[in-house]
Amino acid sequence: MVTGPVLPDATAYPLAGRVAVITGASSGIGMAAAEKLAAARVKLVLHGRRAARLAATAQKFPDVVWLEGDLVDGDAASRLLEMALKHFGTVNYAINNAGINHTGTIDQIDLDLLCQMVRINVEAAYRFTYTFLKHFQQENSGHLIHTTSVMGHKVRETAGGYAGTKHAIEALCEALRIELARSGVRVSCIAPGLVRTELHRDLDVHPSVSRNISRPLSAADVADAIYWVMCQPAHINIPQLVVLPQDHAI
Ligand SMILES: NC(=O)c1ccc[n+]([C@@H]2O[C@H](COP(=O)([O-])OP(=O)(O)OC[C@H]3O[C@@H](n4cnc5c(N)ncnc54)[C@H](OP(=O)(O)O)[C@@H]3O)[C@@H](O)[C@H]2O)c1
């Protein structure tokens, strides 16, 4: 019979003690990723505008801090980096997940909403990448992960704007992957199909109904995919991972 304290199994928590920054952590995929990683003993810096939700996640786990704000603000990424360094002394993973979805045919789309989407989905993603890339290059280690979308690989009617923003980030990451290939810095895009989150809350009919998808992904399904990519050994990079509901005929 084994006696004494139960020691954590290192193979059960391969990322224990690592540090990750997650944007869009107040909802959906980002919140599920935060819960998954915190349970796997990763130290976290969370970001979003809805502070109460970030605080609620932080209360459940040790070593989780959060920063409230709009990711489009020019200094948001550097404040997140500073916070990670101040609280945890390092950062290993920078997960850019925040995003919005605004759809419409090109002749009818609301241009102001389209531009707002471009600012968060593209401008903020570039700013975030730029800041963490510089830090990771100094360290010659680190992993940048973006939640893009299957719409970063495909296009369909009413999604010209959204797909454009996601194609932009896939292009950014593909160039970056080549630029970083001889370094210790990795870059990955996780590209989900339809996920049941608050992303589509403004639509009258949920896309799972209009597109006849019986079982959309859950946010936890995508969090599992993100975690799997993070767990790969240093000599392996997963640059693109498309994750679809089985009956998502896109
Ligand atoms: N759901 C899907 O079907 C699906 C499919 C493929 C890809 N994706 C992508 O997955 C990512 C996460 O989306 P989700 O489905 O989890 O949607 P969600 O539940 O609506 O979450 C979006 C997150 O982004 C944050 N956010 C939005 N605008 C922000 C801003 N200006 N500044 C700071 N944070 C902002 C939100 O936080 P606050 O509102 O608190 O600021 C929230 O935490 C997005 O990039 C989305 O494009 C989603």
Side-chain angles (χ1 to χ4, degrees):
M1 184 177 159
V2 179
T3 56
V6 179
L7 297 174
D9 176 359
T11 57
Y13 302 109
L15 304 186
R18 304 283 179 89
V19 179
V21 172
I22 308 176
T23 70
S26 56
S27 175
I29 295 167
M31 185 187 273
E35 302 240 343
K36 172 96 190 167
L37 296 182
R41 307 188 183 191
V42 177
K43 300 174 182 180
L44 296 177
V45 180
L46 307 181
H47 186 269
R49 290 167 301 181
R50 286 169 288 179
R53 290 175 172 216
L54 302 173
T57 303
Q59 262 186 352
K60 286 198 261 177
F61 300 98
D63 295 324
V64 179
V65 296
W66 52 273
L67 180 68
E68 173 191 6
D70 195 319
L71 201 60
V72 169
D73 286 349
D75 66 348
S78 50
R79 289 179 65 206
L80 284 168
L81 174 59
E82 274 166 29
M83 204 164 171
L85 297 179
K86 179 177 156 215
H87 284 273
F88 304 125
T90 190
V91 56
N92 309 104
Y93 300 95
I95 304 173
N96 174 56
N97 164 77
I100 59 173
N101 180 6
H102 180 60
T103 53
T105 57
I106 302 297
D107 61 341
Q108 294 198 341
I109 199 162
D110 181 320
L111 274 182
D112 289 331
L113 289 178
L114 175 70
C115 291
Q116 199 183 322
M117 178 170 68
V118 169
R119 288 210 70 195
I120 178 68
N121 291 10
V122 181
E123 179 186 336
Y126 269 78
R127 289 184 184 279
F128 183 88
T129 301
Y130 190 83
T131 299
F132 282 92
L133 173 63
K134 300 269 178 200
H135 178 72
F136 288 160
Q137 282 180 314
Q138 271 172 17
E139 302 289 310
N140 195 32
S141 119
H143 196 159
L144 274 155
I145 299 173
H146 289 269
T147 309
T148 57
S149 169
V150 67
M151 296 313 293
H153 296 259
K154 312 229 176 203
V155 181
R156 62 168 166 71
E157 77 288 358
T158 75
Y162 181 71
T165 68
K166 296 300 185 178
H167 273 74
I169 304 309
E170 290 281 348
L172 160 72
C173 291
E174 185 59 359
L176 200 50
R177 179 186 64 76
I178 298 163
E179 289 167 11
L180 294 170
R182 310 227 175 269
S183 80
V185 184
R186 293 186 285 187
V187 56
S188 305
C189 288
I190 314 295
L194 190 65
V195 192
R196 195 173 283 289
T197 66
E198 295 171 31
L199 191 76
H200 304 104
R201 59 187 169 276
D202 293 340
L203 296 179
D204 295 336
V205 179
H206 192 266
S208 60
V209 176
S210 51
R211 305 206 171 272
N212 203 18
I213 297 170
S214 64
R215 188 172 170 187
L217 302 173
S218 68
D221 292 331
V222 184
D224 286 348
I226 293 171
Y227 183 66
W228 179 77
V229 166
M230 293 169 72
C231 284
Q232 295 307 306
H235 69 289
I236 297 178
N237 186 29
I238 310 292
Q240 294 158 337
L241 182 64
V242 179
V243 186
L244 294 179
Q246 166 57 21
D247 61 353
H248 193 161
I250 188 166

